[in-house]
């Protein structure tokens, strides 16, 4: 099952608050083709795994991509522009984060 660290959930929540979104919309993993996954913003869809932070949805994982993120952790990492999101294999079941 996908894990999201507290830092990543906070970053997602902060980024959502800066977007013009409707209630219930959150970031969503999308199939970008050729084995790539992108990130968009959308309302929930049937079968989505929902990740919540501070009682608000911050990330939806579509059912068709859920197995791709099985035993994965969404975390933050430094970038040239500050901090960005990364997806890495979970190192253990006790990754300190937010669960679906």
């Amino acid at each position: 099952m996908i894990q999201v660290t507290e830092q990543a959930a906070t970053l997602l929540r902060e980024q959502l608050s800066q977007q013009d979104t409707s209630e219930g919309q959150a970031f969503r993993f999308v199939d970008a083709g050729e084995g790539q996954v992108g990130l968009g913003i959308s309302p929930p869809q049937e079968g989505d795994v929902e990740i919540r932070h501070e009682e608000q949805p911050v990330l939806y994982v579509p059912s068709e991509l859920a197995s791709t993120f099985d035993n994965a952790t969404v975390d933050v990492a430094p970038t040239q522009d500050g901090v960005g999101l990364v997806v890495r294999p979970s190192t253990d079941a006790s990754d300190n984060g937010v669960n679906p």
Side-chain angles (χ1 to χ4, degrees), residues 9 14 17-18 21 23-24 27 33 38 61 63 74 79 85 95 99:
E14 289 171 354
S17 71
Q18 297 174 15
T21 59
E23 187 172 334
F27 285 102
V61 181
S63 58
V74 179
T79 69
L85 293 174
D95 270 332
N99 299 319

Side-chain angles (χ1 to χ4, degrees), residues 8 11 16 19 21 25 28 39 43 52 59 64 75 85 89:
L11 179 63
L16 277 171
Q19 305 295 318
T21 59
Q25 287 187 321
R28 176 184 182 77
L39 197 61
R52 297 178 76 82
L59 179 64
E64 63 270 15
D75 202 356
L85 293 174

Side-chain angles (χ1 to χ4, degrees), residues 1-13 27-29 37-39 49 51 58-61 68-77 83-91 95-100:
M1 180 174 290
I2 191 167
Q3 305 284 319
V4 179
T5 66
E6 185 70 28
Q7 296 86 354
T10 298
L11 179 63
L12 288 166
R13 178 104 165 102
F27 285 102
R28 176 184 182 77
F29 284 129
V37 176
L39 197 61
V49 174
I51 309 294
V58 293
L59 179 64
Y60 298 124
V61 181
T68 302
F69 295 101
D70 198 27
N71 297 316
T73 298
V74 179
D75 202 356
V76 295
V83 177
L85 293 174
V86 294
V87 178
R88 60 178 171 77
S90 291
T91 53
D95 270 332
N96 188 16
V98 180
N99 299 319

